[in-house]
Amino acid sequence: MEIIAFVNNKGGVGKTTCSKLMAEYLSKNKKRRTLCIDFDPQCNFSHQYLHMEIDPAAPEGLMPPIHPDYDPTDEDDEGWDGRSSIAEIFYGQGVIPYPTFVENLDIAPGHAEKLLAAESVRRSEVVEKVHKQLASFLNSSDVRAAYDTVVIDTAPSKGPLTISVIKAASHIIIPSVMEEQPVQGIYGMLQLWMQESLTREKSRPLQLVGILPNMFKQTRLHKDILKSLQGNSAIGKYVLPVKFSQRIVFAEVDAADSNPRSIFDFQEQHVAKSEALEVCSHIAERIFA
Ligand SMILES: Nc1ncnc2c1ncn2[C@@H]1O[C@H](COP(=O)(O)OP(=O)(O)O)[C@@H](O)[C@H]1O
Ligand SMILES: [Mg+2]
């Protein structure tokens, strides 16, 4: 089971958008049973597939809706409030992923308050209470039996949540806009990747699929920054030969009333669909080769 994570501690670089495109490509085009995990307290990834609700206990945050399988009259559901997020792993509870409008694609949504709580666990306890939990969930026989691939979206931080994703992942992809600030984020992530690689068992390497330019515009700035990354002797080899352009439809399909809701359901010759197919198939070839 491949565990593919999109990481960059800068926000707004396309982690969520790329996670979504990759997850939909794998489930729709490769027929892989895919589990999406939203590990960002902002819950943007969850919101793509579920109608997330305002948490009355923390009104600035979101929580998952009632699960479609929840039945308050069923004894088996006693003691469950009917909602299930990936953050249950920090509370010793089971996680029950939600189906989505995409066949073969489920999501274990985020929960703002519960994920933020994990982000603030004391340093002395972080390994036991946070770092190990995601890996142990992903190693469980239930998850291994139900899914072929996992796609994880992360928060724009280098905190305990992102570290636990780096520890659990088999593959990471670093999306970035070709501008100064986001490019700084690439260096931070490469550092985390190298640190993690040093301590990993050899049998389970963490593969860096590459740096994925996103929201690319044919401007002097973007072209120059991309060129200098490609020419950099230390990191040029990690820059992927494919990229996502700045295209309004990539943002438009986020709306719940968008029709179609997936780029992959656009007509065959649509430029955004062709680009998504090109980028995702290239990444898939690198991962599954
Ligand atoms: N290639 C793209 N073209 C146009 N808009 C994009 C593209 N990639 C992302 N966006 C938009 O930019 C914003 C930030 O992207 P997002 O994926 O949420 O970044 P992150 O998860 O890294 O914070 C979102 O509104 C998203 O719809
Ligand atoms: Mg995001």
Side-chain angles (χ1 to χ4, degrees):
M1 188 177 78
E2 297 78 20
I3 301 168
I4 306 164
F6 288 83
V7 294
N8 188 324
N9 61 308
K10 300 293 172 179
V13 298
K15 291 181 290 298
T16 303
T17 304
C18 295
S19 299
K20 183 180 159 200
L21 288 167
M22 199 63 211
E24 291 178 10
Y25 173 79
L26 292 173
S27 53
K28 291 173 90 78
N29 296 59
K30 291 281 164 197
K31 307 286 174 232
R32 296 185 74 87
R33 296 166 305 157
T34 304
L35 174 65
C36 294
I37 293 181
D38 189 353
F39 233 44
D40 181 356
Q42 291 182 46
C43 302
N44 297 135
F45 197 22
S46 314
H47 211 61
Q48 303 288 331
Y49 297 109
L50 303 176
H51 188 78
M52 297 292 281
E53 295 178 12
I54 289 172
D55 183 352
E60 67 284 8
L62 295 174
M63 64 180 185
I66 295 294
H67 197 285
D69 291 347
Y70 176 61
D71 177 0
T73 63
D74 185 339
E75 285 175 17
D76 289 346
D77 287 352
E78 225 177 78
W80 179 29
D81 68 357
R83 304 176 196 271
S84 188
S85 79
I86 187 64
E88 314 303 337
I89 59 174
F90 303 124
Y91 297 84
Q93 310 277 321
V95 176
I96 306 165
Y98 292 63
T100 69
F101 61 83
V102 181
E103 201 185 335
N104 291 323
L105 186 73
D106 287 354
I107 185 160
H111 185 299
E113 207 196 5
K114 291 183 180 177
L115 284 175
L116 282 170
E119 209 62 324
S120 57
V121 164
R122 263 189 283 139
R123 233 190 146 131
S124 57
E125 295 183 317
V126 81
V127 173
E128 283 305 317
K129 289 198 170 163
V130 184
H131 289 177
K132 287 186 176 171
Q133 304 305 322
L134 182 62
S136 103
F137 167 70
L138 292 171
N139 280 326
S140 68
S141 49
D142 285 359
V143 172
R144 299 249 155 195
Y147 300 104
D148 303 312
T149 319
V150 177
V151 175
I152 310 179
D153 183 24
T154 59
S157 92
K158 286 195 256 184
L161 289 173
T162 301
I163 301 290
S164 53
V165 171
I166 300 252
K167 291 193 171 300
S170 60
H171 296 80
I172 55 170
I173 298 162
I174 309 174
S176 183
V177 180
M178 291 298 111
E179 287 168 18
E180 203 52 50
Q181 283 279 329
V183 164
Q184 289 307 318
I186 297 177
Y187 291 99
M189 289 300 125
L190 288 173
Q191 208 176 359
L192 286 185
W193 168 63
M194 285 172 194
Q195 268 166 16
E196 172 63 15
S197 296
L198 288 175
T199 54
R200 278 242 181 153
E201 321 79 274
K202 293 271 177 299
S203 61
R204 204 180 65 90
L206 174 59
Q207 295 188 22
L208 172 62
V209 179
I211 296 161
L212 175 59
N214 183 29
M215 291 189 239
F216 193 82
K217 286 186 276 195
Q218 295 296 335
T219 58
R220 186 65 175 271
L221 176 71
H222 284 196
K223 287 198 236 174
D224 284 355
I225 292 189
L226 177 58
K227 220 166 142 192
S228 82
L229 277 182
Q230 287 166 333
N232 181 309
S233 60
I235 66 174
K237 56 181 177 288
Y238 302 124
V239 180
L240 290 169
V242 287
K243 56 184 174 318
F244 283 121
S245 308
Q246 166 87 37
R247 294 185 195 280
I248 191 74
V249 279
F250 286 134
E252 280 171 349
V253 286
D254 288 359
D257 59 358
S258 159
N259 184 22
R261 288 189 73 181
S262 172
I263 285 284
F264 299 104
D265 290 334
F266 278 56
Q267 72 221 35
E268 225 38 68
Q269 60 279 25
H270 195 288
V271 291
K273 176 176 175 172
S274 306
E275 187 174 80
L277 283 170
E278 187 198 357
V279 173
C280 294
S281 63
H282 179 86
I283 291 174
E285 270 166 37
R286 289 199 170 213
I287 294 174
F288 301 110

